[in-house]
Amino acid sequence: MTADPPVELAVPADAAAIAAMSRDLIETGLPWNWREGRVLRAIRQPDTNVAVVREDARIVGFGIMEYRDEHAYLSLLAIDPAHRRRGAARSLLRWLEASARVAGVERIRLEARRDNAPARVFYNEQGFHEVGITRDRYSDGIDGLVLEKWLRPRQSE
């Protein structure tokens, strides 16, 4: 059994590499929204964590999580294809979940492309459940799928 790769907070110098990974691995064929400036703002934002996994000082994976009043929103998660299936995504998600628990949020939400079967399987394996559809969410007309994971029992109303 191998140890999970270490996760750390991104620093401003990481913004360009993270933006390029977003463009190439997540936003392919879509308008590029997570450019260097936006990533840099996220790194500097007190209610956002930008976490990375490195190998030989090179970023091989990252996640961006925004913290809101009652939930956290996982904006992006990407792993370099040459480093997939080695635990980096799981490590990033566990680290971000632990941070969300410390922040006191009830649940984590995210949105994935409805046609992204590998992402849906991964998040399902990590305890996320599909809770909604956002029609025509992406500029190419693909629907978005809302997933969520409760971090603590739901409060009775």
Side-chain angles (χ1 to χ4, degrees):
M1 185 169 157
T2 60
D4 286 340
V7 176
E8 60 190 57
L9 284 172
V11 297
D14 296 329
I18 292 169
M21 287 181 74
S22 179
R23 178 195 62 218
D24 297 343
L25 302 176
I26 299 171
E27 299 180 86
T28 304
L30 301 170
W32 185 22
N33 291 312
W34 283 90
R35 295 175 183 267
E36 184 177 354
R38 184 174 183 189
V39 173
L40 185 58
R41 284 189 301 279
I43 290 170
R44 292 180 173 154
Q45 191 71 273
D47 61 354
T48 301
N49 277 338
V50 181
V52 296
V53 170
R54 298 178 197 276
E55 184 174 287
D56 300 323
R58 183 177 157 265
I59 296 172
V60 298
F62 74 93
I64 300 177
M65 176 113 67
E66 301 171 35
Y67 298 87
R68 299 178 179 165
D69 290 338
E70 296 178 0
H71 73 276
Y73 184 78
L74 182 60
S75 300
L76 298 174
L77 182 77
I79 306 298
D80 181 281
H83 293 85
R84 291 183 182 157
R85 315 250 354 127
R86 297 185 191 175
R90 188 179 58 246
S91 288
L92 279 164
L93 194 54
R94 284 183 184 158
W95 191 95
L96 291 164
E97 282 182 18
S99 298
R101 287 178 200 281
V102 169
V105 299
E106 295 178 331
R107 65 185 178 240
I108 298 172
R109 289 190 148 190
L110 63 93
E111 194 166 322
R113 289 173 61 96
R114 193 172 188 185
D115 63 352
N116 187 343
R120 292 171 70 180
V121 168
F122 170 75
Y123 289 117
N124 181 265
E125 289 172 347
Q126 306 310 310
F128 283 79
H129 302 281
E130 299 174 2
V131 296
I133 296 172
T134 307
R135 300 279 179 213
D136 296 322
R137 166 69 169 93
Y138 298 93
S139 61
D140 58 359
I142 300 295
D143 295 340
L145 191 61
V146 180
L147 295 101
E148 109 184 335
K149 179 177 183 177
W150 284 82
L151 301 177
R152 60 181 187 212
R154 295 181 193 196
Q155 298 294 323
S156 310
E157 294 186 26

